[in-house]
Amino acid sequence: MSTTPRSVGWLGTGRMGAVMAARLIDAGEDVTVWNRTASKTGPLVAKGARAVERISDLGGCHVVFVMVATPADLEEVICGEHGLLSADQAGAGLTGAGRRPGVIVDCSTVSEETSARVRAAADAAGVGFLAAPVSGNPHMVAEGACCIVASGPAEVFEQARPYLEEIAKLAVHAGEGEQARLVKLCLNLYLGIMVQALVEVTSLAEKGGTDRATFLEFLGGTVLASDWVRRRSGDLVSRDWTPTFTTELLRKDFDLGLGAARSLEVPMPAGALVYQLIQSAIGTGLRHEDFLSLYELQAAAAALPGDQTVPANETLPANQRRPANQTLPEE
Amino acid sequence: MSTTPRSVGWLGTGRMGAVMAARLIDAGEDVTVWNRTASKTGPLVAKGARAVERISDLGGCHVVFVMVATPADLEEVICGEHGLLSADQAGAGLTGAGRRPGVIVDCSTVSEETSARVRAAADAAGVGFLAAPVSGNPHMVAEGACCIVASGPAEVFEQARPYLEEIAKLAVHAGEGEQARLVKLCLNLYLGIMVQALVEVTSLAEKGGTDRATFLEFLGGTVLASDWVRRRSGDLVSRDWTPTFTTELLRKDFDLGLGAARSLEVPMPAGALVYQLIQSAIGTGLRHEDFLSLYELQAAAAALPGDQTVPANETLPANQRRPANQTLPEE
Amino acid sequence: MSTTPRSVGWLGTGRMGAVMAARLIDAGEDVTVWNRTASKTGPLVAKGARAVERISDLGGCHVVFVMVATPADLEEVICGEHGLLSADQAGAGLTGAGRRPGVIVDCSTVSEETSARVRAAADAAGVGFLAAPVSGNPHMVAEGACCIVASGPAEVFEQARPYLEEIAKLAVHAGEGEQARLVKLCLNLYLGIMVQALVEVTSLAEKGGTDRATFLEFLGGTVLASDWVRRRSGDLVSRDWTPTFTTELLRKDFDLGLGAARSLEVPMPAGALVYQLIQSAIGTGLRHEDFLSLYELQAAAAALPGDQTVPANETLPANQRRPANQTLPEE
Amino acid sequence: MSTTPRSVGWLGTGRMGAVMAARLIDAGEDVTVWNRTASKTGPLVAKGARAVERISDLGGCHVVFVMVATPADLEEVICGEHGLLSADQAGAGLTGAGRRPGVIVDCSTVSEETSARVRAAADAAGVGFLAAPVSGNPHMVAEGACCIVASGPAEVFEQARPYLEEIAKLAVHAGEGEQARLVKLCLNLYLGIMVQALVEVTSLAEKGGTDRATFLEFLGGTVLASDWVRRRSGDLVSRDWTPTFTTELLRKDFDLGLGAARSLEVPMPAGALVYQLIQSAIGTGLRHEDFLSLYELQAAAAALPGDQTVPANETLPANQRRPANQTLPEE
């Protein structure tokens, strides 16, 4: 088995990982893949990827991407007994399995703390580490419409940049440390405030006599609306709170984002207010609904009539609840 | 002088009015124009419009658009001694000057109260009235990218709709009364909240080590950013607060918007918070700066270093201050 | 009929007016009273006051106090055809009816605008005018526990001061103009914010396992609690929202107070937030309840169990609703 | 050495501990004291207390009070090698040293986590444990004006109650667990919101033309003011921010209080807003000032003139800064 410096490894071929790796293959890269459930690598192999059985077999690739589901998975596949760092030699520019890669690019969504721990382990092993969360869902990735924010040493970013730009329409370098995680949290704070802004003005227009569909059609036509707002307007019109991301998960992102703001001593007046409204929404039964259901809290406070009844996720037995993505909301 | 029912009148050929009327001419409409300063109609006449000397000469047009600068102008050109309603006969479908038009479409930005007064006068004169504010600046209008929200009787809207759709990419009917004014206020409330959201997360990313340009480039790439945010990111990066719309003008729109919310008994928690921050910005010297300067208030509270000094509009003598548009901020 | 300079007039002997006038009599003053419903002056006459039939009969008194129910009443009894200013001569130091008084002290609760209008009329007539709202209810007045804040020219205040100090335990001079009205609004804004603070911490302690009665007993023992909080704790414990002052009346005071803050360009972040919560409380059915019912909004958002059901004033037919004082809440 | 069941132990005779123990002696209790710096027990011995050399010598007392400065001290004197729990036998009702006490009452100010750890250790050793923080400063304790909130098993509270009521004017039982700590945090949240309410209305009155001293004199006379507000009005009038409790320490209490609210899922809209304002105050240089300096943030936002300059604690070299109490702010 022989690899070239441009050979790239891919660890984790779930829904997001698979479409990302596919873009590298489509761009002509020589891609080696590993997945816990080996059968999931089939479609990529069919496109031209090589599958390997052990994580350490990825060590021959100079750059290895990681896209796994949980922080625990991340620590295991990188720092675990058989993880990427377990080989006894750093593999930068070398050939063959049993080497450590030169650069690890983690695209998973994990906390700053986990990221920093993994980074420290990589540093100690002489391996470059890049935190590189993605903004976009699998559909957007497939269309080349996603964005990647990465942080880590500048020279490591430069080594990864060609691949990142094959995957995403935009790849930015946010700093030398864990900034990419913070930037991602900033996006989610921004989204939460946007949703509150949206439900306030929508309910105001509505109580003034303009129905939600008309108001949102107009807003959607203007330069003030984001594509995200346009995409979700239909759900807001029909009060369909089937979760894409629950109110409770948004609270978790606000916990992390406002926690970072506290550490950095940055006041977040609008963010803190929306956080309390999210908490109120949870307290009034919207915990397991989509976070767009902040509309319901607002509509009740504005004494808007409930124009239809959606079976509340909250009131269903736990095993019948509609599941939400655990991923970041703008995906 | 003979007109056809499809002949359309245009009253007020300032910057916005001129590009709007031009779109009707380009669409093949037979357009008759009037402007207080007659010379300003020249370019439209060169394109094929007919200019008239008296407002009452527009009465032969079934539909007359009005785009003037102030509420007082609006009342004068419609209800004044020589205004559109001054003729003694309604002109629907009739020929010749000295008639009232069948429909007046007001695209000016005025308060709900002024609008309602003018509407009542039109109603009394048997003339249909449509409040039809525009979202978009002259450049956007010229490119067919603006949006119009209109309110008034449905049948009046239907009569105006073909013209509205020639001017704008989107024309919606928001209700039978003054809803269009409220919808416009809703947009500006939304914009104000989004600016606060923007400056909070930007300052957070910045204090965490990601410079503004990088953060805004990333945000701009995602589906969360609106075109408005993308367009203004450069000013935020360079802290250029040359006003497009001052903090004080934004406060005025919030006065109107929150006043409407009060009348309708709609709580606006995020809107009310941002209003107080706007007030704080004014108190700390940002009155005459662009309202994006809410960033300065936030940056000071976050103890971010002032990375450059822009000569503050506030501190200039009144006669040297950079002027701001008086029009709505998203234009 | 002969009066001395120290003779004092009293116009309006309702619940508050009667106890205030009684304190002057008890202090040995020579008091002349007038009331629209003459029979209501009986108890004061029994204590030694002289009752007169016409308002103009009070003109012989150098200082005349006014305590009426509404702004319209105030304008009528002072500026009306037969009002205090209707006589053709200012009466300072003179004897007999048909004179204007030298000083009018208005203790009614009216808006700044009404107050300013009446003051201007008094000024034009050469009569000193003092706005002098009271903090305290009739019971407190009777015990000498109320406070008076007055504004108007300093020399006018000095002339009224001896009487004010006989009525109240504290009389302060807040300024030369309408400051007394503003100070009163400040008190009500403070009260509203404190009620929100109270319901937040009470619900937090409660959800943590300390019942309301215990928590409020402890708070009441500390130096942080005001007498007002101590007095109202029982109602909060029993969730008795029988109005002393309704949520809707509190909103009106916030309308006035935040309107004054807007005019003066003073941001009120906590005040504005509480205003929105008041609006939300109204929207969720607490309009006609005591404003302490802000607890219900908070308890619902905190998912606290409803431990008892009080028949909601809101849901009663209008003619069965418990009435609230229209006076200021701390009374 | 012989003790009776009513003999009470006192561990920690600093400023607060000494005045509290003195009240027990004055009430006729048989008090045994221990302090790290033994000489500090002198005044209590002079009043009739018995001093012991080792902590374990307090074991003969059924009830032992603890008042130490830090959480680490608390863990050491209770759980440490020579701490109260180090004896091999529980001492309830027994005679002689080397016994564990039956009940430990901790009056120190520590976090819920520390409290819970110490409580668990006591439970395991068969010793009753009461968390019993105090509201009041040494001066107030001496006058019998302080309040104690205690939590722990009801029967333990009953055993301690006679002593608590000799020390304080009020002793309440807030629950079986750590509720006393939460109640104390609730008080500090309440205080923080109160200060913000105070500075908002004071600045409003001030900008309207009523000076701070007059406004605060009036407020202080009404039933809305707490004794705390009355006591601190002078500092607010003179803008003397010499710390009694710094802005940064208040932020710490808000961190704890809002953290508890998050755990219990209680929204705190006013608390969260004030927290952000505290953060803004810190960001603008008020970190080491008294937390009443929230007034400065408000006054700047209201464009009130700075009427005097107090040398800012923040700008002094660290070793010249005025020290603040680390104790709870209402003391």
Side-chain angles (χ1 to χ4, degrees), chain A residues 30-119:
Chain A
D30 176 16
V31 179
T32 304
V33 302
W34 178 91
N35 196 62
R36 183 167 307 178
T37 308
S39 61
K40 286 203 182 163
T41 60
L44 291 170
V45 170
K47 284 179 82 85
R50 170 182 341 182
V52 295
E53 287 184 10
R54 289 166 305 177
I55 288 175
S56 59
D57 293 336
L58 293 171
C61 306
H62 180 56
V63 174
V64 176
F65 281 81
V66 177
M67 180 56 119
V68 292
T70 71
D73 289 344
L74 183 71
E75 298 211 51
E76 188 191 337
V77 302
I78 296 184
C79 315
E81 192 184 352
H82 303 293
L84 280 169
L85 301 176
S86 62
D88 53 4
Q89 276 187 275
L94 299 182
T95 304
R99 308 290 181 187
R100 297 178 201 139
V103 169
I104 296 174
V105 182
D106 172 42
C107 299
S108 314
T109 295
V110 299
S111 70
E112 197 171 316
E113 288 68 30
T114 302
S115 189
R117 263 201 310 277
V118 172
R119 181 187 301 280

Side-chain angles (χ1 to χ4, degrees), chain B:
Chain B
M1 176 165 152
S2 125
T3 64
T4 72
R6 288 279 296 184
S7 174
V8 56
W10 197 279
L11 194 165
T13 59
R15 236 158 58 94
M16 275 294 272
V19 289
M20 292 173 80
R23 285 190 61 84
L24 291 177
I25 297 168
D26 290 345
E29 299 293 347
D30 177 17
V31 178
T32 305
V33 301
W34 179 92
N35 195 63
R36 183 166 309 181
T37 307
S39 61
K40 285 202 183 165
T41 60
L44 291 170
V45 170
K47 284 179 82 85
R50 169 181 344 182
V52 294
E53 285 184 12
R54 290 167 304 177
I55 289 175
S56 58
D57 293 336
L58 294 171
C61 307
H62 181 56
V63 174
V64 176
F65 281 81
V66 177
M67 179 56 119
V68 291
T70 71
D73 289 343
L74 183 71
E75 298 211 50
E76 189 192 335
V77 301
I78 296 185
C79 315
E81 191 184 353
H82 304 292
L84 281 170
L85 301 178
S86 62
D88 52 5
Q89 276 188 274
L94 299 182
T95 303
R99 310 287 181 191
R100 297 178 200 137
V103 169
I104 296 175
V105 182
D106 173 41
C107 299
S108 314
T109 295
V110 299
S111 70
E112 197 170 316
E113 288 69 30
T114 301
S115 189
R117 261 202 311 277
V118 172
R119 181 187 301 281
D123 283 355
V127 175
F129 182 82
L130 218 55
V134 183
S135 175
N137 58 29
H139 186 69
M140 289 168 67
V141 171
E143 292 181 338
C146 79
C147 298
I148 294 179
V149 55
S151 61
E155 67 276 14
V156 175
F157 178 73
E158 289 310 318
Q159 292 175 59
R161 188 205 286 267
Y163 305 111
L164 296 171
E165 293 185 342
E166 284 166 358
I167 296 169
K169 71 169 180 179
L170 177 72
V172 304
H173 183 224
E176 304 271 323
E178 298 306 326
Q179 285 87 352
R181 311 293 186 190
L182 178 62
V183 166
K184 197 77 169 81
L185 292 174
C186 285
L187 251 66
N188 291 342
L189 291 168
Y190 182 77
L191 176 56
I193 301 172
M194 290 318 297
V195 164
Q196 179 60 26
L198 186 67
V199 304
E200 289 187 15
V201 297
T202 300
S203 66
L204 176 54
E206 198 175 353
K207 203 162 182 193
T210 302
D211 63 76
R212 285 197 300 285
T214 302
F215 176 73
L216 291 169
E217 182 189 4
F218 181 65
L219 174 64
T222 73
V223 293
L224 297 187
S226 64
D227 284 343
W228 190 91
V229 165
R230 292 183 186 106
R231 194 196 301 157
R232 298 300 308 277
S233 288
D235 294 333
L236 186 48
V237 168
S238 61
R239 286 165 100 153
D240 180 353
W241 314 131
T242 308
T244 61
F245 196 72
T246 65
T247 309
E248 192 170 35
L249 286 169
L250 183 65
R251 183 180 63 180
K252 187 182 138 214
D253 276 1
F254 268 65
D255 280 332
L256 295 172
L258 294 177
R262 169 61 186 81
S263 300
L264 292 165
E265 300 200 321
V266 175
M268 302 289 283
L273 171 73
V274 171
Y275 182 67
Q276 299 302 313
L277 293 167
I278 292 168
Q279 184 62 68
S280 295
I282 287 174
T284 52
L286 301 164
R287 183 189 302 270
H288 301 298
E289 305 297 328
D290 191 82
F291 71 108
L292 259 186
S293 66
L294 280 171
Y295 173 83
E296 293 295 336
L297 187 73
Q298 169 69 11
L304 277 170
D307 51 10
Q308 71 173 87
T309 307
V310 175
N313 216 24
E314 175 80 3
T315 60
L316 296 174
N319 63 348
Q320 292 176 30
R321 280 181 196 145
R322 298 179 293 270
N325 289 323
Q326 293 284 328
T327 49
L328 292 149
E330 86 277 17
E331 290 175 11

Side-chain angles (χ1 to χ4, degrees), chain D residues 54-276:
Chain D
R54 291 167 305 176
I55 288 174
S56 59
D57 293 336
L58 294 172
C61 306
H62 181 57
V63 174
V64 176
F65 280 81
V66 178
M67 181 55 120
V68 291
T70 71
D73 289 344
L74 182 71
E75 297 211 51
E76 189 191 336
V77 301
I78 295 184
C79 314
E81 192 184 355
H82 304 293
L84 279 170
L85 301 178
S86 63
D88 53 4
Q89 277 187 274
L94 298 181
T95 302
R99 310 287 182 190
R100 297 178 200 138
V103 169
I104 297 174
V105 182
D106 172 42
C107 299
S108 314
T109 294
V110 299
S111 70
E112 197 170 317
E113 289 69 29
T114 301
S115 189
R117 260 202 312 277
V118 172
R119 181 186 301 278
D123 283 354
V127 176
F129 183 81
L130 218 55
V134 182
S135 175
N137 58 31
H139 187 68
M140 289 168 66
V141 171
E143 292 181 340
C146 78
C147 298
I148 295 181
V149 55
S151 61
E155 68 276 14
V156 175
F157 178 74
E158 288 310 320
Q159 293 175 59
R161 185 204 288 268
Y163 305 110
L164 296 172
E165 293 184 342
E166 284 165 358
I167 297 169
K169 72 169 179 180
L170 176 71
V172 304
H173 183 223
E176 303 271 324
E178 298 305 327
Q179 284 87 353
R181 311 294 185 189
L182 178 62
V183 166
K184 197 76 167 85
L185 291 175
C186 284
L187 251 67
N188 290 341
L189 290 169
Y190 184 76
L191 175 56
I193 301 172
M194 181 193 288
V195 165
Q196 179 61 26
L198 186 66
V199 303
E200 288 188 16
V201 296
T202 301
S203 67
L204 176 55
E206 198 174 352
K207 203 161 181 195
T210 302
D211 63 77
R212 285 198 299 287
T214 302
F215 176 74
L216 291 169
E217 183 190 4
F218 180 66
L219 174 64
T222 74
V223 292
L224 299 187
S226 64
D227 285 343
W228 190 92
V229 165
R230 291 183 186 106
R231 193 197 303 156
R232 297 301 308 277
S233 288
D235 294 333
L236 186 49
V237 168
S238 61
R239 285 164 101 154
D240 179 354
W241 314 131
T242 307
T244 60
F245 196 72
T246 65
T247 309
E248 192 170 34
L249 286 169
L250 183 65
R251 183 179 63 179
K252 187 181 139 213
D253 277 359
F254 268 66
D255 279 332
L256 294 172
L258 294 178
R262 169 61 186 82
S263 299
L264 292 165
E265 298 199 320
V266 175
M268 301 289 281
L273 172 74
V274 172
Y275 181 67
Q276 299 301 315

